Each structure stands twice: as C-alpha cells, then as structure tokens.
Amino acid sequence: MKFNFYSIYLLLLFLGTFLFSCEIETARPKKNKHLTIVSDYLNSSDTVIFQNFSRRNSIKIKIVHLSPSKIIGQFRKEKFNHGFDLILLQSMTDVLDFHKKDLLHPLVKGNHFNEMDANYSSEKFDYIGFGYDPFVVAMSKEQPTTIRMYNDLTRHKFKTDLADNELIPMFAPILSKMSRVDANSWVKKFFDNSKPDSLFNDSIGRNLPLLKTYSSFFNSNKSNQIKNKKIIFPNTKSTGTFYNLRTFCIANQAENYDESISLIHYFLSKKNNGVLNKKMNTIPIHSNDLGFRKYYMSSEKMSQYFLTVERLLRKLNR
C-alpha cells in the first residue's frame, strides 16, 4: 500500500511537470506582425500616418515607394514572392490598370466592405475608397472669379500641371454627359486654353487660374505658384465637383492578408478616416465639409469611360 502511494505520487509529479513544461512552450510570444504598403505617393517616412493603428494592433508597417510601372515589374519578376500587402496608388487610372493585369486580390461586398461603403468601393475592380481628391481651381485672391464651372475652362486661359493619368478621371464625367463628337471638341478647347501663350508676360501668367488636385494644392502650399491663392470647387451648385478617388487595394498573393484587412477596416471608421485624410490632404469619405460636393456618379460607373479618354488623349498626341 505504501509502495502504491509513492508510485501514484511520483506519477502525478511527473505529469504535473510535463504539463507545466507544455504550458511554458505554448506561452511563447507570437511572431511579430508586419504589413508592407507599396505606393507611388507615400514614402518610408510616411509610416507616421499609420502609427496609431500600428501601436494599437502591434503591427509593424513598412512603406515602399515605387512608380506604378516598377510595381508591375516587381509582380512580374516575383509573382508569388513580391513582398507587397497593400497597394496605395495616387490615380484611379492606375488602379484600373492593376485590376486588368490581375495584380489585385478580389474583393467581395459584405465581406471586405459593407453596403454603406459601396458608393466609393468596387468588387468589380477590387478597390476600397478612403478619400476624395477633387479637381480644384486655384485663383488669385485679388482677381475676380472667372471659373466656377469646368465648362469655363473651355472659355478662359488657365494653367494646369495635371499628368495624363490624372486627367483621365477628370475627363471621364465629361464623356459621360456628351456625345463623342462634343466631348472631343470640349477636350480640344480645354487643351487650347491651357497652352502657354507667348503674348502673356510672366506677371500675367502667374495670375492665371491653376487647375490642380486638392491634395497637390495643399502639399505645395508654400510655393510661389499658389501663394495668396484661393481654391474653387467647380460645379458645386450643379452636378458636383469631379474628383480622383484615393483607394486601398490588397495585393494578389499578399502574405499579410489579415493585417491588410485590419488596416482597411480601421481607417474606414468615421473618426480614423478623418485623421487619415487630414494627414494626406484629401477629403474624408464621410464628410462634405469645406464646400466640396462630389460628382453624383460613382467612380465605378465613371471608370467605363477611362479607356475612351485614353484613346482620345493618344489621338491628341498627349
């Protein structure tokens, strides 16, 4: 009986030691979570924009700055090992191009975004919008307001620094409202009025209205080009101001898919979305402050005109 007592005691001691050692093994800290953002407008120093999300979720964020063509090249070179999780592109033109090239993870309404987000998100083209970047006109505060509508750009001289991939989402609403012939005529007049005129001296040129994106106006707010300028949101009292949509896209074969979804959902909440857009000099998706009233047609519907605009720009040797 004594022997049995000690045998049971030793057996229990052994089992306790074994189970305790197993518990220590499973209590080891989890591997650190990471998330890599690749973008053509964010730089490595911009991780500060996401620092609250990073701290709250213990996710280390890395930003890689590359042009759209170099991102595409990386995908082609390393199809399953490109190292990208989230893709943030400045222009919707490039977002649609990435979709066509199957570089984006498919998105499903009701899973990746909900019904209330559908007006600025698309399961058809695999993007989720988080901010608006309107096409605005910067004018001298001393000069009378000559451009209140985008149609005024076909009647008055102005300057613009918009690249073709930015002009495409701006011209898309024009083509949606006009016949092909009328749209071609509109765009031609637009370019005729934006060309430098040898009759203008530097002083007059500096006072010309300047067509820019909202974000580029504030990102360059210290430059002489826009010093003492006011901004106009054209078409505010009619169909609404044209805009480029800023989006989140998940890379195909993203290694940190769950972390990507967490970041997207975090910055779609009203409070966090406002903070994100303020740092990026864009307009929150939940806000119509600042006098901005967005164009009534969704980005997804406008995108059907992108290819037509591209062909038109090539025809005009842009």
Side-chain angles (χ1 to χ4, degrees), residues 17-191:
T17 305
F18 175 75
L19 292 173
F20 180 72
S21 65
C22 290
E23 177 125 2
I24 292 176
E25 184 69 24
T26 57
R28 288 179 179 175
K30 294 181 179 180
K31 182 181 178 181
N32 291 334
K33 293 185 286 186
H34 294 79
L35 177 62
T36 298
I37 297 172
V38 63
S39 174
D40 62 345
Y41 64 93
L42 296 177
N43 297 291
S44 58
S45 60
D46 290 319
T47 53
V48 66
I49 294 174
F50 308 98
Q51 65 181 359
N52 286 341
F53 165 81
S54 182
R55 290 171 182 168
R56 183 181 294 269
N57 295 277
S58 299
I59 297 175
K60 185 176 182 180
I61 293 179
K62 175 184 177 183
I63 297 178
V64 177
H65 178 85
L66 289 175
S67 66
S69 61
K70 289 187 176 180
I71 297 173
I72 293 169
Q74 185 68 12
F75 269 92
R76 289 174 175 169
K77 181 181 177 182
E78 303 286 351
K79 187 174 182 180
F80 300 107
N81 193 32
H82 47 72
F84 304 141
D85 299 308
L86 273 177
I87 303 174
L88 274 69
L89 297 169
Q90 187 164 355
S91 173
M92 279 297 297
T93 306
D94 294 311
V95 172
L96 265 63
D97 185 48
F98 275 46
H99 165 78
K100 291 176 186 176
K101 291 179 168 61
D102 294 323
L103 306 183
L104 307 180
H105 188 283
L107 301 179
V108 179
K109 183 170 67 174
N111 182 11
H112 298 95
F113 60 93
N114 57 37
E115 185 67 37
M116 66 178 294
D117 302 321
N119 193 42
Y120 41 82
S121 302
S122 173
E123 63 178 2
K124 182 178 180 180
F125 297 115
D126 304 322
Y127 66 78
I128 296 174
F130 67 81
Y132 299 111
D133 197 6
F135 296 102
V136 300
V137 176
M139 303 185 68
S140 171
K141 293 178 180 178
E142 288 80 30
Q143 297 292 324
T145 302
T146 55
I147 298 177
R148 300 180 185 274
M149 310 283 289
Y150 291 109
N151 280 338
D152 293 332
L153 297 171
T154 66
R155 296 188 285 265
H156 298 278
K157 286 287 184 180
F158 68 96
K159 299 186 295 183
T160 184
D161 55 5
L162 296 175
D164 280 3
N165 67 339
E166 295 174 297
L167 285 171
I168 289 171
M170 201 204 105
F171 286 155
I174 300 295
L175 269 71
S176 73
K177 298 187 294 183
M178 297 182 178
S179 67
R180 181 73 61 87
V181 173
D182 289 341
N184 288 1
S185 174
W186 195 100
V187 173
K188 188 178 184 304
K189 290 177 182 177
F190 172 95
F191 284 126

Side-chain angles (χ1 to χ4, degrees), residues 92 96 119 125 127 132 135 168-176 240-245 294-309:
M92 279 297 297
L96 265 63
N119 193 42
F125 297 115
Y127 66 78
Y132 299 111
F135 296 102
I168 289 171
M170 201 204 105
F171 286 155
I174 300 295
L175 269 71
S176 73
T241 300
F242 303 161
Y243 62 89
N244 178 61
L245 187 67
K294 72 182 183 69
Y295 186 63
Y296 70 91
M297 187 180 292
S298 70
S299 288
E300 181 178 293
K301 289 183 178 179
M302 282 192 290
S303 65
Q304 64 185 296
Y305 301 99
F306 278 30
L307 182 58
T308 306
V309 176

Side-chain angles (χ1 to χ4, degrees), residues 257-269:
Y257 170 83
D258 291 337
E259 288 79 5
S260 300
I261 292 295
S262 294
L263 184 144
I264 290 172
H265 289 170
Y266 180 87
F267 285 110
L268 285 183
S269 73

